[in-house]
Amino acid sequence: MTGVSNPAFPSAATTLEGLKLFANYRLRENLTLTGSYRFEHYDAADWQLDGVLPGTVPNLLTLDEQLPHHSVQVVSVALRYRF
């Protein structure tokens, strides 16, 4: 007797994309201006939590757990002095 196998669970997926830029500009012999820019985007997809809210299933308490999704941009500027 053979049975039909159940399909596998869907896979969870995450993506992380980022960009970093750095620059230095010499103002004088001992003074440098430095700058940087960073961008990061993170996204997650998990079939176990997508669409499940605190009131979705009466006997399941998820405490409103959400998957992480974020985009961040950081700009920094500094002066470097050497003596």
Side-chain angles (χ1 to χ4, degrees):
M1 176 177 223
T2 61
V4 176
S5 64
N6 291 334
F9 289 116
S11 58
T14 60
T15 58
L16 177 63
E17 301 167 341
L19 172 70
K20 297 178 191 178
L21 299 172
F22 299 94
N24 293 322
Y25 181 73
R26 178 180 269 171
L27 298 170
R28 292 188 209 144
E29 181 70 28
N30 60 350
L31 187 63
T32 305
L33 177 66
T34 64
S36 68
Y37 171 77
R38 181 173 181 173
F39 171 77
E40 182 176 289
H41 176 74
Y42 179 81
D43 193 16
D46 188 352
W47 63 273
Q48 296 179 59
L49 297 176
D50 286 343
V52 177
L53 301 173
T56 304
V57 181
N59 60 355
L60 176 66
L61 182 61
T62 64
L63 300 175
D64 200 24
E65 183 177 350
Q66 299 292 316
L67 293 172
H69 302 281
H70 71 265
S71 292
V72 178
Q73 297 184 46
V74 177
V75 176
S76 67
V77 178
L79 283 173
R80 184 182 308 148
Y81 180 77
R82 294 179 188 228
F83 53 96

